[in-house]
Amino acid sequence: MEIFITLFITGFGLGALYFLVASGLSLIYGLMGVLNFAHGAFLTAGAYATWYFTTSIRADGSLSSYVISLFIAGVVGALFAVATEQILIKYLYDRHIDQALVTVGLGFVATSAYLGWFGSDPLIVLPPTQLYNTVQIGDAFVGIDRFLYIGVAALVLIANFLMMRYTRIGLIIRAGVENRSMVTALGIDVRKAFTFVFFIGGFAAGLGGALATTYASGVGPTLGDAFLIYAFITVVIGGMGSVPGTAIAAIVVGTTQVLVNYYVQGLGDFVVVMLLALVLLVRPQGLLGKVAH
Amino acid sequence: MNLLPGKYRYVPVLAMVFFGVAAFTPILNEPGLQQTFAVAFLFAALALTYDLLLGFTGLLSFGHALYYAAGAYGAAYAMARWDWGIIPAGIFAMVFATLIALFTGATALRVKGIAFAMVTLAFAEAGHVIAVLNMWGLSNGDQTLQLNFDSVPDFFLGVNNTRNLYLLALVTLILIYVAVWWLTQSSMGRVLQALRDNEERVSVLGLKPFNFKLIAFVLAGVMAAFVGVIAVIVTNNANPVMGSTQTTISLLLMVILGGIATRWGAVIGGLIYVVLSQRLTTLDTQGALSGLPEWIGGPMSEPAFILGVIFILVVMFSPGGIAGALYRLRMKFGSSVK
């Protein structure tokens, strides 16, 4: 039982990281139909920012430096995302395949640039000692960093919910996901909301990158690519454009993967893929998706 | 979209003859160069099978590498563990890949567009995981599954016989080219292209889009598996990179660079991609980049960086790739418009 609790919370934590990547992917796709293959590169950028900050600028290993580095990673991810939207994607509106292709190219370029700058070996990022502690739940000991991932993801989810529910831009995004051409016809420029969605999606991905350095105890050029694939799966299972759906799917994917991988190494990844196939067969629009795109 | 008008129709044939003859002349007589070109031919063939899906059927798959890897691993496994000869092993590998393509294709084709891309991506990732982690002892993981030298005729072994491997790869490319050409010209090929352009109209005509797309998917998969079998002979192993998403993405780059739905565009894209990847690395080791500052020299020494930048520029400014650019040039200057 204690093993189950430890694994379950670890999986929940991994799901939280998936959520940070997938929420942005889901909104970007939901609003504009852009499948963003460069999203993993945003995550990796955030991870390298954390590495740089905690080893070169404030290498004191304190909790406050770590928290600041989380924020910086978010900003780096957000700036990268906005630059991507402004420089590459903006000019290809309504050319959906080309948009996806450009982000594929960007992901390719970014991965090889990271490789050229930082080398192929993972760079080690040491989290503050406080995160090495464990919490006792029943008979199980669980690493405290898991709760950090879950807490940050929960904050992002709540902030997302409040923004969607109570702000004008949130209203435009919700309406745009529902029916973009109608919103445009009413004289509202959806493209501004789109830039904003890239900003928050990039921020969440950068944040996820910072936390992923703790989860994976370091950062390598392909860190983001590894997360991106499972984030895609999460988005499809959850339903494109639905943030709550993404959150539920992230938990399902993360816990399934960790629990099954414990018993047979690699089988968890396999089971998650089969889960995706099953969801698509039974419910092609995903758990909370409105319409199949 | 046939971008080769009558008088250029024989260019691909001449090019193939040139490459065949060149291997016996000083132009291409060095084993290292022949090996590079052999790999380039195989990737060109693979890009062609990918173009059958992307360009001629309109299916954006991110999992095509799975069938290439299934062919390679199926053959390497049958030879290494069961001591089968190359021919039965190759047939086994292609049957194996067919079954996988049937199952994954039938599942993935239940959804369309981007969702289809993601499902194929996920299936390929599952295969990649099996290969990397050596699940059930199938793949030998990163150690790679080595070619069993007893299963292959002697004239394909050793550095002295690189030319034979080169010719084998060239023949493979020609076979795939002819097969794709024949398929896309056939009545089924016309249905596929019609599906790409307007699926609703095809179904109104009483044809079942799903069946045609599944056939195209499986055929492209089987041809990729065939290339995988040959790749085991040429590179002497089956390795996890073959089934990675990176491999599929490089196929996508090749097809887009060369020009989508033109056949020879995919071939040119594949050749340029592989030769450039290898030669750009040489450029770096010869010190051509030593004058540049580190922040730009570092990425420049990665061929993928330069190829990726070219790719982005092509998508943004030259839709249709090299083939499209040549076509526009001819439209502008040429008098030979039919």
Side-chain angles (χ1 to χ4, degrees), chain A residues 98-164:
Chain A
D98 284 345
Q99 285 173 329
L101 292 180
V102 152
T103 63
V104 168
L106 181 64
F108 206 71
V109 166
T111 304
S112 44
Y114 296 141
L115 192 62
W117 284 325
F118 305 109
S120 58
D121 293 331
L123 303 171
I124 293 167
V125 181
L126 293 176
T129 47
Q130 287 90 332
L131 289 185
Y132 289 117
N133 294 338
T134 52
V135 181
Q136 190 174 7
I137 300 175
D139 293 330
F141 290 92
V142 185
I144 204 164
D145 58 321
R146 273 62 171 166
F147 295 101
L148 177 71
Y149 311 146
I150 298 168
V152 171
L155 276 180
V156 169
L157 180 63
I158 293 168
N160 207 303
F161 174 76
L162 293 177
M163 183 205 70
M164 289 291 199

Side-chain angles (χ1 to χ4, degrees), chain B residues 50 53 60-69 104 116-125 217 243-245 248-249 251:
Chain B
Y50 191 69
L53 286 182
L60 177 62
S61 161
F62 276 98
H64 199 54
L66 177 64
Y67 315 105
Y68 172 57
T104 54
F116 171 81
M118 290 199 200
V119 181
T120 51
L121 176 82
F123 278 129
E125 185 58 21
F217 192 86
S244 67
T245 311
T248 307
I249 288 181
L251 294 180

Side-chain angles (χ1 to χ4, degrees), chain A residues 237-255:
Chain A
I237 292 182
M240 307 269 198
S242 161
V243 174
T246 306
I248 296 170
I251 296 167
V252 172
V253 169
T255 50

Side-chain angles (χ1 to χ4, degrees), chain A residues 29 35 37 87-88 91 95 97-98 101-102 104-106 108-109 112-113 115-117 229-230 232-233 236 240 265-267 269-270 273-274 276-277 280-281 284, chain B residues 60 62 107 110-111 114 118-119 121-123 125-126 129-130 133 135-136 245-246 249 252-253 256 273 294-295 298-299 302 304-305 308-309 311-312 315-316 319:
Chain A
Y29 185 85
L35 183 63
F37 275 86
I87 297 171
L88 296 177
Y91 299 101
R95 285 161 62 187
I97 295 291
D98 284 345
L101 292 180
V102 152
V104 168
L106 181 64
F108 206 71
V109 166
S112 44
L115 192 62
W117 284 325
I229 289 178
Y230 292 101
F232 276 155
I233 294 177
V236 178
M240 307 269 198
Q265 177 61 33
L267 191 66
D269 307 6
F270 201 80
V273 173
M274 292 306 137
L276 168 77
L280 282 169
L281 290 175
Chain B
L60 177 62
F62 276 98
T107 311
R110 290 180 61 99
V111 286
I114 295 296
M118 290 199 200
V119 181
L121 176 82
F123 278 129
E125 185 58 21
V129 164
I130 295 177
L133 295 176
M135 285 168 76
W136 307 295
T245 311
Q246 209 62 21
I249 288 181
L252 179 65
L253 261 68
I256 302 288
Y273 184 95
E294 178 55 30
W295 69 270
E302 302 296 332
F305 180 81
V309 170
F311 174 77
I312 292 177
V315 172
M316 293 198 69

Side-chain angles (χ1 to χ4, degrees), chain A residues 45-111:
Chain A
Y48 276 116
T50 297
W51 167 77
Y52 186 73
F53 187 79
T54 55
T55 54
S56 298
I57 296 181
R58 279 186 67 167
D60 53 4
S62 70
L63 190 62
S64 62
S65 303
Y66 185 76
V67 172
I68 298 171
S69 81
L70 289 186
F71 184 74
I72 290 177
V75 172
V76 167
L79 292 180
F80 191 176
V82 169
T84 303
E85 197 268 341
Q86 288 290 311
I87 297 171
L88 296 177
I89 296 175
K90 200 165 115 178
Y91 299 101
L92 299 171
Y93 273 131
D94 288 325
R95 285 161 62 187
H96 292 261
I97 295 291
D98 284 345
Q99 285 173 329
L101 292 180
V102 152
T103 63
V104 168
L106 181 64
F108 206 71
V109 166
T111 304

